[in-house]
RNA sequence: GCCUAUGUAGCUCAGCAGGUAGAGCACUUCCUUGGUAAGGAAGAGGUCACCGGUUCAAGUCCGGUCAUAGGCUCCA
């Protein structure tokens, strides 16, 4: 084989000690501009201070990158939750080694504590500056600022040898940014537009103290341990296979959990007057033309052909539930008509968007549609708020309601919107209390206002799962009617609602929230009997039979191992109840109880243990201790669900 | 779909100057018959994601495909 002489590669990192003389940086060109001392106000709130710090860290990082790549084009670099990022257009892609190099250079800059300085220049001056420096992204930023605000001047910030178009604010000196860490490189479209160039984005985190930084890094580690995909493997609940990307394979244990979940859902909704129907999964495209999904949602649907006709795998339950409604004449006496259809849904999510149970291509929503008269809206909403509360209390998860109102683009009559919004609002005021819910003006669906439910898990992350939406549009599309008391046909309103969002996603959240230690009623194995030696196996099976009779999912670990080993195994499998039995217990008809939550409990009669477990199952007690990790999430960042739009 | 990284036993990972695979756990068998998070020994288990190329020789280098992760975009 030919040994290539080790010539420097064309794309090797630039040597900063010998910068290309031809490259003129913004800082060089801005040397004569009127930069002034920049003072930071005292007594600022922590959030503001962090914002300054992180935004400044982004500038420091940009300086380090420009040092390394003098021809780099810099795009934008804001402060974000936990840190900052900056986007660059670079001559080559960055490697993990580059990140280390950049970090080292940043530390040098930080150590010298360069002051941030500010200059105000005319728009023309700014344009010339960035044109001469060949910074095209900045020019585009200037253009959009001018379009939007038509300012007379623009501000520049400088620290050391880096000058950036920037409104600020910043810290006074670079040393304030010293508790930082670069986290990762990724691609990001310029202006978030997938038709524009892909830039390289470097993410970093920055804090006010070493303790904060360490705590944050620790938090990230803990969060990683709780990843539901990891727990799913550890507890043998589900797996994924490349032959069905984005679809979950539930194992016997996992499917047990899933079924328990479904049973609860069925039971609780049946009690509240819901009727369950079961519809087809495959429809001619005409259905979705009627609903409008074919026009607007086609790229997310799986479409196949048979009999020279296009068929669609249903991506949501609404349209086919409407076929149920219109399948016969409806009377006002039937309303409110509460119909649930937990069908299997398919959505052709982009491969890059798939994420464990959080974002799948096949899933089931705890979906239901309620057909109501206008007068019934408010009571029905109150009822839904009540169910939501019941459900979330069961899982020990914090939640908050949010009202989203008419967006700029909407369908239907504004008067109807106003009425509907008023109905939602008064239901919220009456049942949740005014001020106890969030307002998202203009965030409603185009077909109606909605109430979203945001969950907060023990990692402080927010999730949008449940949603209650009013829909005036589909009743028209499907020409839904009911015969009213005066014998005339009237148009019902549809309420779309989901509490969990999707079972898959909610289970994923629950697994992370509980770190896999599910409440007894959901646990795949609720109790394990641990005989101390195989001489006790007969009694162990006797205990097994007693518990089984009490409706407990119980196993016997009769492997030829020491009990310490079996206990360890049961602990790692997060089995709520462990019943240790030896000669003594066999004699007395007892078991030595150990629980996942409370540890060793001592010798108790099997009857009593069986009673305790079966009560926990029956009541669906949330018998789990959640130790909340210190939260690093900001108040208003919500991870959006896949169940929010219909 | 786009960017970057990753893909070796059921799991977690090592091996990478190219010379035809290794650990721990899990599993099987045997010994041990034990009091609340790992007793001992032996054994079995892998087309190194897949396809193609370079080479006498590829887990290792190159190209492509698929999947996964983190982002971006999307989530009427």
């Amino acid at each position: 084989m030919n040994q290539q002489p080790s010539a420097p590669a064309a794309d090797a990192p630039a040597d900063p000690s010998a910068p290309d003389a031809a490259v003129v940086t913004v800082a060089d060109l801005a040397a004569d501009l009127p930069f002034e001392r920049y003072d930071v106000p005292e007594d600022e709130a922590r959030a503001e201070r962090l914002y300054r710090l992180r935004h400044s860290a982004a500038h420091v990082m940009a300086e380090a990158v420009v040092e390394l790549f003098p021809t780099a084009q810099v795009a934008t670099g804001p402060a974000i939750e936990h840190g900052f990022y900056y986007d660059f257009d670079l001559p080559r892609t960055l490697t993990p080694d580059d990140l280390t190099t950049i970090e080292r250079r940043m530390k040098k800059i930080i150590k010298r504590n360069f002051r941030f300085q500010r200059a105000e220049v005319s728009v023309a001056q700014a344009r010339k500056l960035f044109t001469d420096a060949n910074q095209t992204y900045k020019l585009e930023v200037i253009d959009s600022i001018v379009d939007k605000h038509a300012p007379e001047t623009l501000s520049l910030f400088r620290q050391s040898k880096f000058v950036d178009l920037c409104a600020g604010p910043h810290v006074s000196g670079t040393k304030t940014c010293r508790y930082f860490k670069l986290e990762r490189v990724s691609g990001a479209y310029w202006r978030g537009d997938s038709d524009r160039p892909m830039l390289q984005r470097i993410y970093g985190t920055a804090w006010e103290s070493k303790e904060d930084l360490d705590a944050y890094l620790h938090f990230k580690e803990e969060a990683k341990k709780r990843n539901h995909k990891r727990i799913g493997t550890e507890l043998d609940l589900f797996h994924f296979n490349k032959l069905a990307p984005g679809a979950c394979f539930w194992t016997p244990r996992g499917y047990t959990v899933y079924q328990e979940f479904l049973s609860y859902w069925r039971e609780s909704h049946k009690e509240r007057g819901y009727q369950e129907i079961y519809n087809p999964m495959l429809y001619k495209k005409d259905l979705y033309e009627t609903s409008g999904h074919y026009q607007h949602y086609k790229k997310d649907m799986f479409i196949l052909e048979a009999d020279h006709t296009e068929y669609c795998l249903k991506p949501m339950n609404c349209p086919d539930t409407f076929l149920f409604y219109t399948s016969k004449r409806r009377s006002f006496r039937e309303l409110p008509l509460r119909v649930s259809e937990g069908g299997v849904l398919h959505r052709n999510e982009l491969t890059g968007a798939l994420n464990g149970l959080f974002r799948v291509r096949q899933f089931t929503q705890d979906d239901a549609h309620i057909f109501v008269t206008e007068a019934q809206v408010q009571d029905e909403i109150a009822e839904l708020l009540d169910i939501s509360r019941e459900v979330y209390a069961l899982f020990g998860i914090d939640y908050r309601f949010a009202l989203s109102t008419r967006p700029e683009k909407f369908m239907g009559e504004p008067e109807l919107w106003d009425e509907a919004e008023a109905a939602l609002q008064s239901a919220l005021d009456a049942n949740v209390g005014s001020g106890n819910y969030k307002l998202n003006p203009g965030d409603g669906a185009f077909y109606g206002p909605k109430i979203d439910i945001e969950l907060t898990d023990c990692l402080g992350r927010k999730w949008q799962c449940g949603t209650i939406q009013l829909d005036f549009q589909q009743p028209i599309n499907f020409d839904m009617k009911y015969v009213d008391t005066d014998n005339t046909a009237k148009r019902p309103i549809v309420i779309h609602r989901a509490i969990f969002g999707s079972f898959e996603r909610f289970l994923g959240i629950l697994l992370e929230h509980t770190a896999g230690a599910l409440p007894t009623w959901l646990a795949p194995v609720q109790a394990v009997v641990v005989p101390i030696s195989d001489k006790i196996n007969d009694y162990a099976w006797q205990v097994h039979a007693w518990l089984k009779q009490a409706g407990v999912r119980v196993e016997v670990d009769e492997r030829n191992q020491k009990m310490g080993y079996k206990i360890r195994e049961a602990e790692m499998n997060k089995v709520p109840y462990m019943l240790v039995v030896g000669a003594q217990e066999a004699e007395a008809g007892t078991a030595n109880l150990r629980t996942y939550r409370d540890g060793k409990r001592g010798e108790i009669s099997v009857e009593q243990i069986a009673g305790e477990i079966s009560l926990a199952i029956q009541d669906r007690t949330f018998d789990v201790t959640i130790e909340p990790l210190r939260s690093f999430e900001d108040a208003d960042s919500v991870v959006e669900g896949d169940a929010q739009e219909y």
Side-chain angles (χ1 to χ4, degrees), chain A residues 218-253:
Chain A
H218 174 72
F219 166 83
K220 294 293 270 190
E221 277 305 306
E222 286 300 308
K224 221 190 218 170
K225 279 189 207 157
R226 285 166 177 258
N227 184 297
H228 71 276
K229 284 159 268 179
R230 182 181 175 145
I231 292 173
T233 303
E234 282 170 1
L235 300 188
D236 191 19
L237 300 176
F238 53 81
H239 67 273
F240 290 91
N241 190 296
K242 68 187 321 191
L243 294 175
C248 183
F249 291 69
W250 294 96
T251 63
R253 283 168 175 256

mmCIF file of all heavy atoms in Angstrom, chain A residues 218-253:
data_model
loop_
_atom_site.group_PDB
_atom_site.id
_atom_site.type_symbol
_atom_site.label_atom_id
_atom_site.label_comp_id
_atom_site.label_asym_id
_atom_site.label_seq_id
_atom_site.Cartn_x
_atom_site.Cartn_y
_atom_site.Cartn_z
ATOM 1 N N HIS A 218 -24.167 17.353 37.402
ATOM 2 C CA HIS A 218 -24.654 16.188 38.144
ATOM 3 C C HIS A 218 -26.103 15.878 37.762
ATOM 4 O O HIS A 218 -26.480 14.732 37.533
ATOM 5 C CB HIS A 218 -24.552 16.455 39.648
ATOM 6 C CG HIS A 218 -25.152 15.385 40.491
ATOM 7 N ND1 HIS A 218 -24.557 14.144 40.642
ATOM 8 C CD2 HIS A 218 -26.303 15.337 41.210
ATOM 9 C CE1 HIS A 218 -25.320 13.393 41.413
ATOM 10 N NE2 HIS A 218 -26.382 14.087 41.778
ATOM 11 N N PHE A 219 -26.885 16.944 37.683
ATOM 12 C CA PHE A 219 -28.282 16.794 37.286
ATOM 13 C C PHE A 219 -28.400 16.113 35.919
ATOM 14 O O PHE A 219 -29.215 15.226 35.713
ATOM 15 C CB PHE A 219 -28.936 18.182 37.261
ATOM 16 C CG PHE A 219 -30.270 18.222 36.568
ATOM 17 C CD1 PHE A 219 -31.428 17.860 37.242
ATOM 18 C CD2 PHE A 219 -30.364 18.638 35.250
ATOM 19 C CE1 PHE A 219 -32.657 17.907 36.608
ATOM 20 C CE2 PHE A 219 -31.593 18.680 34.604
ATOM 21 C CZ PHE A 219 -32.744 18.311 35.287
ATOM 22 N N LYS A 220 -27.535 16.525 34.994
ATOM 23 C CA LYS A 220 -27.569 15.927 33.656
ATOM 24 C C LYS A 220 -27.271 14.434 33.731
ATOM 25 O O LYS A 220 -27.884 13.627 33.033
ATOM 26 C CB LYS A 220 -26.531 16.601 32.736
ATOM 27 C CG LYS A 220 -26.831 18.048 32.426
ATOM 28 C CD LYS A 220 -28.060 18.186 31.587
ATOM 29 C CE LYS A 220 -27.722 18.147 30.110
ATOM 30 N NZ LYS A 220 -28.896 18.522 29.287
ATOM 31 N N GLU A 221 -26.314 14.078 34.586
ATOM 32 C CA GLU A 221 -25.968 12.672 34.758
ATOM 33 C C GLU A 221 -27.154 11.878 35.297
ATOM 34 O O GLU A 221 -27.465 10.792 34.814
ATOM 35 C CB GLU A 221 -24.791 12.544 35.741
ATOM 36 C CG GLU A 221 -23.433 12.758 35.112
ATOM 37 C CD GLU A 221 -23.207 11.832 33.923
ATOM 38 O OE1 GLU A 221 -23.352 10.609 34.093
ATOM 39 O OE2 GLU A 221 -22.906 12.336 32.822
ATOM 40 N N GLU A 222 -27.789 12.455 36.318
ATOM 41 C CA GLU A 222 -28.938 11.785 36.934
ATOM 42 C C GLU A 222 -30.067 11.607 35.920
ATOM 43 O O GLU A 222 -30.702 10.561 35.860
ATOM 44 C CB GLU A 222 -29.447 12.589 38.132
ATOM 45 C CG GLU A 222 -28.554 12.490 39.343
ATOM 46 C CD GLU A 222 -28.405 11.060 39.830
ATOM 47 O OE1 GLU A 222 -29.434 10.394 40.047
ATOM 48 O OE2 GLU A 222 -27.262 10.601 39.979
ATOM 49 N N ALA A 223 -30.283 12.656 35.150
ATOM 50 C CA ALA A 223 -31.348 12.601 34.158
ATOM 51 C C ALA A 223 -31.058 11.485 33.155
ATOM 52 O O ALA A 223 -31.953 10.778 32.718
ATOM 53 C CB ALA A 223 -31.479 13.945 33.450
ATOM 54 N N LYS A 224 -29.795 11.330 32.819
ATOM 55 C CA LYS A 224 -29.393 10.299 31.873
ATOM 56 C C LYS A 224 -29.716 8.912 32.427
ATOM 57 O O LYS A 224 -30.173 8.032 31.713
ATOM 58 C CB LYS A 224 -27.879 10.421 31.668
ATOM 59 C CG LYS A 224 -27.416 10.238 30.239
ATOM 60 C CD LYS A 224 -25.916 10.136 30.278
ATOM 61 C CE LYS A 224 -25.241 10.824 29.125
ATOM 62 N NZ LYS A 224 -23.782 10.884 29.352
ATOM 63 N N LYS A 225 -29.470 8.751 33.745
ATOM 64 C CA LYS A 225 -29.743 7.450 34.360
ATOM 65 C C LYS A 225 -31.221 7.117 34.324
ATOM 66 O O LYS A 225 -31.602 5.965 34.387
ATOM 67 C CB LYS A 225 -29.291 7.482 35.829
ATOM 68 C CG LYS A 225 -27.815 7.260 36.010
ATOM 69 C CD LYS A 225 -27.511 7.097 37.497
ATOM 70 C CE LYS A 225 -26.086 7.521 37.802
ATOM 71 N NZ LYS A 225 -25.937 7.901 39.206
ATOM 72 N N ARG A 226 -32.036 8.161 34.308
ATOM 73 C CA ARG A 226 -33.475 7.943 34.318
ATOM 74 C C ARG A 226 -34.059 7.845 32.928
ATOM 75 O O ARG A 226 -35.272 7.726 32.782
ATOM 76 C CB ARG A 226 -34.169 9.117 35.012
ATOM 77 C CG ARG A 226 -34.009 9.081 36.482
ATOM 78 C CD ARG A 226 -34.405 10.417 37.039
ATOM 79 N NE ARG A 226 -34.331 10.393 38.489
ATOM 80 C CZ ARG A 226 -35.392 10.283 39.269
ATOM 81 N NH1 ARG A 226 -36.588 10.224 38.765
ATOM 82 N NH2 ARG A 226 -35.252 10.242 40.561
ATOM 83 N N ASN A 227 -33.239 7.887 31.932
ATOM 84 C CA ASN A 227 -33.754 7.796 30.570
ATOM 85 C C ASN A 227 -34.649 6.563 30.413
ATOM 86 O O ASN A 227 -34.259 5.454 30.749
ATOM 87 C CB ASN A 227 -32.569 7.722 29.611
ATOM 88 C CG ASN A 227 -33.030 7.724 28.182
ATOM 89 O OD1 ASN A 227 -33.722 6.812 27.755
ATOM 90 N ND2 ASN A 227 -32.673 8.747 27.454
ATOM 91 N N HIS A 228 -35.848 6.775 29.912
ATOM 92 C CA HIS A 228 -36.807 5.663 29.890
ATOM 93 C C HIS A 228 -36.391 4.528 28.973
ATOM 94 O O HIS A 228 -36.786 3.389 29.183
ATOM 95 C CB HIS A 228 -38.199 6.172 29.505
ATOM 96 C CG HIS A 228 -38.319 6.571 28.075
ATOM 97 N ND1 HIS A 228 -37.957 7.809 27.608
ATOM 98 C CD2 HIS A 228 -38.736 5.886 26.997
ATOM 99 C CE1 HIS A 228 -38.178 7.871 26.309
ATOM 100 N NE2 HIS A 228 -38.640 6.724 25.909
ATOM 101 N N LYS A 229 -35.566 4.823 27.978
ATOM 102 C CA LYS A 229 -35.114 3.748 27.091
ATOM 103 C C LYS A 229 -34.188 2.813 27.851
ATOM 104 O O LYS A 229 -34.239 1.598 27.705
ATOM 105 C CB LYS A 229 -34.376 4.333 25.884
ATOM 106 C CG LYS A 229 -35.325 4.930 24.860
ATOM 107 C CD LYS A 229 -34.640 5.919 23.965
ATOM 108 C CE LYS A 229 -34.779 7.306 24.573
ATOM 109 N NZ LYS A 229 -34.112 8.341 23.758
ATOM 110 N N ARG A 230 -33.359 3.414 28.682
ATOM 111 C CA ARG A 230 -32.467 2.644 29.519
ATOM 112 C C ARG A 230 -33.252 1.818 30.543
ATOM 113 O O ARG A 230 -33.011 0.621 30.718
ATOM 114 C CB ARG A 230 -31.540 3.644 30.218
ATOM 115 C CG ARG A 230 -30.504 3.043 31.087
ATOM 116 C CD ARG A 230 -29.720 4.197 31.695
ATOM 117 N NE ARG A 230 -28.765 3.701 32.649
ATOM 118 C CZ ARG A 230 -27.571 4.246 32.838
ATOM 119 N NH1 ARG A 230 -27.198 5.287 32.133
ATOM 120 N NH2 ARG A 230 -26.756 3.744 33.726
ATOM 121 N N ILE A 231 -34.223 2.474 31.196
ATOM 122 C CA ILE A 231 -35.047 1.766 32.176
ATOM 123 C C ILE A 231 -35.834 0.648 31.498
ATOM 124 O O ILE A 231 -35.965 -0.448 32.043
ATOM 125 C CB ILE A 231 -36.000 2.756 32.872
ATOM 126 C CG1 ILE A 231 -35.192 3.714 33.743
ATOM 127 C CG2 ILE A 231 -37.028 2.017 33.716
ATOM 128 C CD1 ILE A 231 -35.999 4.843 34.343
ATOM 129 N N GLY A 232 -36.320 0.917 30.297
ATOM 130 C CA GLY A 232 -37.077 -0.096 29.563
ATOM 131 C C GLY A 232 -36.267 -1.356 29.335
ATOM 132 O O GLY A 232 -36.799 -2.470 29.402
ATOM 133 N N THR A 233 -34.985 -1.191 29.066
ATOM 134 C CA THR A 233 -34.107 -2.348 28.876
ATOM 135 C C THR A 233 -33.799 -2.998 30.220
ATOM 136 O O THR A 233 -33.892 -4.213 30.360
ATOM 137 C CB THR A 233 -32.789 -1.910 28.209
ATOM 138 O OG1 THR A 233 -33.112 -1.253 26.978
ATOM 139 C CG2 THR A 233 -31.912 -3.105 27.919
ATOM 140 N N GLU A 234 -33.451 -2.187 31.197
ATOM 141 C CA GLU A 234 -33.082 -2.722 32.510
ATOM 142 C C GLU A 234 -34.219 -3.518 33.137
ATOM 143 O O GLU A 234 -33.992 -4.568 33.737
ATOM 144 C CB GLU A 234 -32.702 -1.570 33.455
ATOM 145 C CG GLU A 234 -31.318 -1.023 33.206
ATOM 146 C CD GLU A 234 -31.040 0.268 33.973
ATOM 147 O OE1 GLU A 234 -31.927 0.739 34.723
ATOM 148 O OE2 GLU A 234 -29.940 0.807 33.822
ATOM 149 N N LEU A 235 -35.422 -3.002 33.001
ATOM 150 C CA LEU A 235 -36.566 -3.670 33.630
ATOM 151 C C LEU A 235 -37.275 -4.613 32.660
ATOM 152 O O LEU A 235 -38.314 -5.179 32.994
ATOM 153 C CB LEU A 235 -37.559 -2.633 34.171
ATOM 154 C CG LEU A 235 -37.030 -1.669 35.232
ATOM 155 C CD1 LEU A 235 -38.163 -0.833 35.800
ATOM 156 C CD2 LEU A 235 -36.326 -2.410 36.348
ATOM 157 N N ASP A 236 -36.734 -4.753 31.472
ATOM 158 C CA ASP A 236 -37.299 -5.657 30.470
ATOM 159 C C ASP A 236 -38.762 -5.332 30.178
ATOM 160 O O ASP A 236 -39.643 -6.179 30.296
ATOM 161 C CB ASP A 236 -37.144 -7.112 30.954
ATOM 162 C CG ASP A 236 -37.462 -8.107 29.838
ATOM 163 O OD1 ASP A 236 -37.437 -7.704 28.662
ATOM 164 O OD2 ASP A 236 -37.738 -9.283 30.151
ATOM 165 N N LEU A 237 -39.015 -4.068 29.825
ATOM 166 C CA LEU A 237 -40.383 -3.629 29.566
ATOM 167 C C LEU A 237 -40.689 -3.539 28.071
ATOM 168 O O LEU A 237 -41.800 -3.815 27.647
ATOM 169 C CB LEU A 237 -40.627 -2.255 30.199
ATOM 170 C CG LEU A 237 -40.441 -2.157 31.708
ATOM 171 C CD1 LEU A 237 -40.613 -0.729 32.177
ATOM 172 C CD2 LEU A 237 -41.426 -3.078 32.423
ATOM 173 N N PHE A 238 -39.711 -3.119 27.301
ATOM 174 C CA PHE A 238 -39.945 -2.963 25.863
ATOM 175 C C PHE A 238 -38.617 -2.920 25.144
ATOM 176 O O PHE A 238 -37.561 -2.788 25.757
ATOM 177 C CB PHE A 238 -40.734 -1.689 25.571
ATOM 178 C CG PHE A 238 -40.138 -0.436 26.157
ATOM 179 C CD1 PHE A 238 -39.085 0.219 25.526
ATOM 180 C CD2 PHE A 238 -40.618 0.089 27.347
ATOM 181 C CE1 PHE A 238 -38.527 1.371 26.064
ATOM 182 C CE2 PHE A 238 -40.063 1.244 27.899
ATOM 183 C CZ PHE A 238 -39.020 1.882 27.255
ATOM 184 N N HIS A 239 -38.689 -3.076 23.847
ATOM 185 C CA HIS A 239 -37.476 -2.893 23.047
ATOM 186 C C HIS A 239 -37.858 -2.320 21.701
ATOM 187 O O HIS A 239 -39.037 -2.268 21.342
ATOM 188 C CB HIS A 239 -36.719 -4.215 22.900
ATOM 189 C CG HIS A 239 -37.436 -5.236 22.087
ATOM 190 N ND1 HIS A 239 -38.360 -6.107 22.620
ATOM 191 C CD2 HIS A 239 -37.383 -5.517 20.769
ATOM 192 C CE1 HIS A 239 -38.834 -6.886 21.667
ATOM 193 N NE2 HIS A 239 -38.255 -6.550 20.543
ATOM 194 N N PHE A 240 -36.860 -1.880 20.993
ATOM 195 C CA PHE A 240 -37.078 -1.360 19.653
ATOM 196 C C PHE A 240 -36.257 -2.193 18.672
ATOM 197 O O PHE A 240 -35.284 -2.843 19.048
ATOM 198 C CB PHE A 240 -36.660 0.113 19.574
ATOM 199 C CG PHE A 240 -37.590 1.013 20.342
ATOM 200 C CD1 PHE A 240 -37.350 1.312 21.678
ATOM 201 C CD2 PHE A 240 -38.703 1.544 19.734
ATOM 202 C CE1 PHE A 240 -38.213 2.124 22.394
ATOM 203 C CE2 PHE A 240 -39.577 2.367 20.440
ATOM 204 C CZ PHE A 240 -39.330 2.657 21.767
ATOM 205 N N ASN A 241 -36.678 -2.206 17.432
ATOM 206 C CA ASN A 241 -35.981 -2.969 16.415
ATOM 207 C C ASN A 241 -35.935 -2.133 15.150
ATOM 208 O O ASN A 241 -36.910 -1.483 14.789
ATOM 209 C CB ASN A 241 -36.726 -4.286 16.170
ATOM 210 C CG ASN A 241 -35.933 -5.228 15.295
ATOM 211 O OD1 ASN A 241 -35.658 -4.947 14.133
ATOM 212 N ND2 ASN A 241 -35.543 -6.349 15.861
ATOM 213 N N LYS A 242 -34.782 -2.178 14.490
ATOM 214 C CA LYS A 242 -34.621 -1.326 13.300
ATOM 215 C C LYS A 242 -35.596 -1.700 12.191
ATOM 216 O O LYS A 242 -35.799 -0.936 11.256
ATOM 217 C CB LYS A 242 -33.174 -1.367 12.799
ATOM 218 C CG LYS A 242 -32.809 -2.718 12.249
ATOM 219 C CD LYS A 242 -31.344 -2.929 11.879
ATOM 220 C CE LYS A 242 -30.623 -1.784 11.241
ATOM 221 N NZ LYS A 242 -29.309 -2.219 10.694
ATOM 222 N N LEU A 243 -36.192 -2.884 12.288
ATOM 223 C CA LEU A 243 -37.139 -3.285 11.257
ATOM 224 C C LEU A 243 -38.495 -2.594 11.408
ATOM 225 O O LEU A 243 -39.347 -2.686 10.533
ATOM 226 C CB LEU A 243 -37.316 -4.811 11.249
ATOM 227 C CG LEU A 243 -36.044 -5.559 10.838
ATOM 228 C CD1 LEU A 243 -36.232 -7.050 10.953
ATOM 229 C CD2 LEU A 243 -35.635 -5.187 9.414
ATOM 230 N N ALA A 244 -38.687 -1.931 12.518
ATOM 231 C CA ALA A 244 -39.909 -1.153 12.717
ATOM 232 C C ALA A 244 -39.535 0.149 13.403
ATOM 233 O O ALA A 244 -39.869 0.360 14.573
ATOM 234 C CB ALA A 244 -40.919 -1.932 13.543
ATOM 235 N N PRO A 245 -38.813 1.006 12.692
ATOM 236 C CA PRO A 245 -38.343 2.232 13.349
ATOM 237 C C PRO A 245 -39.498 3.057 13.903
ATOM 238 O O PRO A 245 -40.521 3.202 13.257
ATOM 239 C CB PRO A 245 -37.605 2.981 12.232
ATOM 240 C CG PRO A 245 -38.016 2.343 10.957
ATOM 241 C CD PRO A 245 -38.421 0.941 11.282
ATOM 242 N N GLY A 246 -39.313 3.537 15.101
ATOM 243 C CA GLY A 246 -40.325 4.399 15.700
ATOM 244 C C GLY A 246 -41.517 3.641 16.260
ATOM 245 O O GLY A 246 -42.535 4.252 16.551
ATOM 246 N N ALA A 247 -41.382 2.336 16.419
ATOM 247 C CA ALA A 247 -42.503 1.571 16.973
ATOM 248 C C ALA A 247 -41.990 0.725 18.125
ATOM 249 O O ALA A 247 -40.902 0.177 18.065
ATOM 250 C CB ALA A 247 -43.134 0.687 15.906
ATOM 251 N N CYS A 248 -42.797 0.650 19.155
ATOM 252 C CA CYS A 248 -42.366 -0.015 20.378
ATOM 253 C C CYS A 248 -42.814 -1.468 20.404
ATOM 254 O O CYS A 248 -43.944 -1.780 20.068
ATOM 255 C CB CYS A 248 -42.949 0.730 21.573
ATOM 256 S SG CYS A 248 -42.413 0.050 23.146
ATOM 257 N N PHE A 249 -41.889 -2.344 20.801
ATOM 258 C CA PHE A 249 -42.229 -3.753 21.039
ATOM 259 C C PHE A 249 -42.374 -3.909 22.552
ATOM 260 O O PHE A 249 -41.404 -3.745 23.283
ATOM 261 C CB PHE A 249 -41.094 -4.675 20.579
ATOM 262 C CG PHE A 249 -40.881 -4.744 19.093
ATOM 263 C CD1 PHE A 249 -40.391 -3.655 18.381
ATOM 264 C CD2 PHE A 249 -41.155 -5.922 18.402
ATOM 265 C CE1 PHE A 249 -40.174 -3.731 17.016
ATOM 266 C CE2 PHE A 249 -40.937 -6.003 17.033
ATOM 267 C CZ PHE A 249 -40.453 -4.912 16.335
ATOM 268 N N TRP A 250 -43.572 -4.224 23.000
ATOM 269 C CA TRP A 250 -43.784 -4.393 24.448
ATOM 270 C C TRP A 250 -43.513 -5.836 24.820
ATOM 271 O O TRP A 250 -44.044 -6.758 24.205
ATOM 272 C CB TRP A 250 -45.217 -4.009 24.832
ATOM 273 C CG TRP A 250 -45.490 -2.558 24.637
ATOM 274 C CD1 TRP A 250 -46.068 -1.962 23.555
ATOM 275 C CD2 TRP A 250 -45.157 -1.501 25.541
ATOM 276 N NE1 TRP A 250 -46.131 -0.603 23.728
ATOM 277 C CE2 TRP A 250 -45.582 -0.293 24.941
ATOM 278 C CE3 TRP A 250 -44.551 -1.447 26.797
ATOM 279 C CZ2 TRP A 250 -45.414 0.950 25.553
ATOM 280 C CZ3 TRP A 250 -44.390 -0.214 27.413
ATOM 281 C CH2 TRP A 250 -44.820 0.969 26.789
ATOM 282 N N THR A 251 -42.710 -6.034 25.839
ATOM 283 C CA THR A 251 -42.426 -7.379 26.338
ATOM 284 C C THR A 251 -43.572 -7.788 27.273
ATOM 285 O O THR A 251 -44.419 -6.957 27.610
ATOM 286 C CB THR A 251 -41.123 -7.378 27.135
ATOM 287 O OG1 THR A 251 -41.301 -6.520 28.265
ATOM 288 C CG2 THR A 251 -39.956 -6.862 26.309
ATOM 289 N N PRO A 252 -43.602 -9.061 27.735
ATOM 290 C CA PRO A 252 -44.671 -9.460 28.662
ATOM 291 C C PRO A 252 -44.771 -8.527 29.865
ATOM 292 O O PRO A 252 -45.861 -8.122 30.249
ATOM 293 C CB PRO A 252 -44.251 -10.866 29.083
ATOM 294 C CG PRO A 252 -43.486 -11.392 27.908
ATOM 295 C CD PRO A 252 -42.761 -10.201 27.341
ATOM 296 N N ARG A 253 -43.629 -8.157 30.423
ATOM 297 C CA ARG A 253 -43.664 -7.257 31.582
ATOM 298 C C ARG A 253 -44.193 -5.885 31.206
ATOM 299 O O ARG A 253 -45.035 -5.315 31.884
ATOM 300 C CB ARG A 253 -42.264 -7.079 32.155
ATOM 301 C CG ARG A 253 -41.791 -8.247 32.960
ATOM 302 C CD ARG A 253 -40.306 -8.106 33.237
ATOM 303 N NE ARG A 253 -39.862 -9.168 34.114
ATOM 304 C CZ ARG A 253 -39.609 -8.999 35.400
ATOM 305 N NH1 ARG A 253 -39.703 -7.806 35.947
ATOM 306 N NH2 ARG A 253 -39.241 -10.012 36.140
#
